[in-house]
Amino acid sequence: MMNFQSNDLTSILDQVRSEFNFEVVKRPLVGSLGSETVDTAWFGCFRNDSWRPVGPGSVKEGYCPHTTDDVVTLVEAAIGAFDRGVTNVVTDFNDGHFVKIMPSRETMKRIAGEDVVYPCLLVQAGYGGGGSFKCTLGLERPLCSNMEIFETVKSIKFCHKHTRNLRSRISYLRESFAGLNEGWVNVGKAIDRAAATKVSIKEMVLAVYGEPSNTDRSRTMHMNRMEDIVKRLFSERHKGNYSQDVTDSDEANAWEMYNAIQGYQQHDAIQRGKRSELQRAILANNSPAVKTAERLLIPALAA
């Protein structure tokens, strides 16, 4: 994973191209029948620098892997949506290309005290039969190093199937991001309403994770998880310099409650395999717990 800063479009695109200085190619897969090698109807995707397999499995003959230039084209179109410029870009490769784009700090939104958020665009270009180009508006919360994506808030979500020569559709791609500013306004409204809504900490944790079963192991896991979430919530409340009348020891506002659960899943919960910071954030946002927390704490407030 690479993190770099620049406000020059050409420099950013050159850096993205440099980080992804390889192509993914499709090759036929063969099998064996005793000592005989036999052709199969399947193909695999491989990096042409290390020849390591890419993607969750085989693909069909007609599958067309996207190229590095396709990714650069998508990033170029996404950057154009930030009318105040881009200052920070993060790249990562894990069975596909991932690029996180953050604009200048002029786009900051303050919720309360030192609790602020910034928009970010996440570009995802996966490989495999279900792979496609995805671009989603999310947010960064420096207070807890969380990256969050609200699926239930009307913002910006772009999905495009793989196609040959994506650059020929650059005008269409730019138009697809035209609603970013409006989307960020909608996200901000949802956050404001969540921050004004009180919830019970204990009840929300139970609603998200369920009651523990009647075993020592289950009760211990539940108690440890509750302790970690509450510890995170109060730590972030203190760092955010929230006023004392905002919440008490048994209650939280829906915004800080959601962040405590999302932060627990991103930073504290066990994730199999070695993951980059960006991959941990993506996995956390796709987890059932975070999706449930958003449904309970955010959606009705997003209208």
Side-chain angles (χ1 to χ4, degrees):
M1 187 175 77
M2 179 63 67
N3 187 323
F4 55 93
Q5 297 182 348
S6 175
N7 56 9
D8 178 70
L9 177 61
T10 300
S11 297
I12 291 173
L13 299 182
D14 285 346
Q15 188 66 38
V16 172
R17 191 176 285 106
S18 174
E19 290 302 315
F20 299 137
N21 60 346
F22 57 88
E23 297 293 345
V24 172
V25 296
K26 183 181 66 178
R27 290 289 184 266
L29 300 177
V30 297
S32 61
L33 186 62
S35 60
E36 182 182 358
T37 299
V38 294
D39 295 331
T40 72
W42 299 290
F43 291 74
C45 292
F46 302 86
R47 289 179 56 151
N48 69 354
D49 57 349
S50 64
W51 294 108
R52 294 178 63 87
V54 175
S58 62
V59 297
K60 295 182 179 180
E61 184 176 3
Y63 178 79
C64 178
H66 66 264
T67 67
T68 295
D69 188 64
D70 290 332
V71 177
V72 173
T73 300
L74 200 56
V75 171
E76 180 181 349
I79 287 176
F82 288 117
D83 55 9
R84 297 183 182 179
V86 171
T87 59
N88 186 269
V89 178
V90 177
T91 61
D92 195 14
F93 188 88
N94 186 347
D95 282 338
H97 300 82
F98 297 84
V99 184
K100 183 175 69 173
I101 305 164
M102 293 184 64
S104 68
R105 290 186 172 269
E106 295 175 2
T107 59
M108 178 189 76
K109 173 180 174 56
R110 188 176 303 278
I111 293 92
E114 301 301 316
D115 192 1
V116 299
V117 292
Y118 302 89
C120 67
L121 268 178
L122 180 64
V123 175
Q124 302 178 71
Y127 286 99
S132 62
F133 301 110
K134 299 178 183 178
C135 297
T136 313
L137 175 63
L139 62 87
E140 288 274 345
R141 188 184 185 224
L143 191 69
C144 52
S145 300
N146 287 2
M147 186 194 80
E148 301 162 6
I149 296 174
F150 293 149
E151 293 187 349
T152 53
V153 179
K154 184 179 179 181
S155 56
I156 180 171
K157 189 178 294 183
F158 165 75
C159 186
H160 185 69
K161 291 185 177 180
H162 287 173
T163 184
R164 296 181 187 274
N165 190 14
L166 197 63
R167 183 158 292 281
S168 65
R169 309 196 70 188
I170 185 69
S171 296
Y172 163 75
L173 295 174
R174 285 172 177 157
E175 292 175 2
S176 300
F177 295 109
L180 184 139
N181 289 329
E182 180 183 354
W184 182 238
V185 170
N186 290 334
V187 170
K189 290 178 179 178
I191 292 173
D192 287 340
R193 296 183 185 181
T197 302
K198 299 284 187 68
V199 296
S200 163
I201 297 174
K202 180 179 180 180
E203 289 178 4
M204 287 311 308
V205 172
L206 288 174
V208 170
Y209 294 99
E211 293 277 358
S213 61
N214 192 28
T215 65
D216 290 341
R217 182 174 182 272
S218 179
R219 287 192 292 267
T220 298
M221 288 177 60
H222 173 76
M223 182 177 64
N224 290 341
R225 181 170 52 219
M226 176 74 80
E227 183 177 320
D228 287 344
I229 290 174
V230 170
K231 181 179 178 180
R232 175 171 288 277
L233 190 152
F234 277 88
S235 174
E236 292 169 5
R237 183 183 293 177
H238 175 73
K239 288 190 293 184
N241 196 26
Y242 273 78
S243 59
Q244 294 300 314
D245 60 347
V246 172
T247 52
D248 60 31
S249 59
D250 299 317
E251 288 186 330
N253 66 52
W255 165 246
E256 62 175 348
M257 188 74 243
Y258 173 81
N259 274 280
I261 292 172
Q262 196 279 342
Y264 168 80
Q265 292 293 144
Q266 180 175 335
H267 302 292
D268 304 322
I270 296 175
Q271 295 184 5
R272 293 183 179 179
K274 187 177 181 180
R275 305 284 182 177
S276 68
E277 182 179 340
L278 181 57
Q279 291 300 321
R280 287 190 66 87
I282 293 171
L283 285 173
N285 281 290
N286 288 330
S287 70
V290 171
K291 290 182 181 294
T292 300
E294 181 187 350
R295 177 175 57 82
L296 294 173
L297 295 164
I298 303 296
L301 310 170

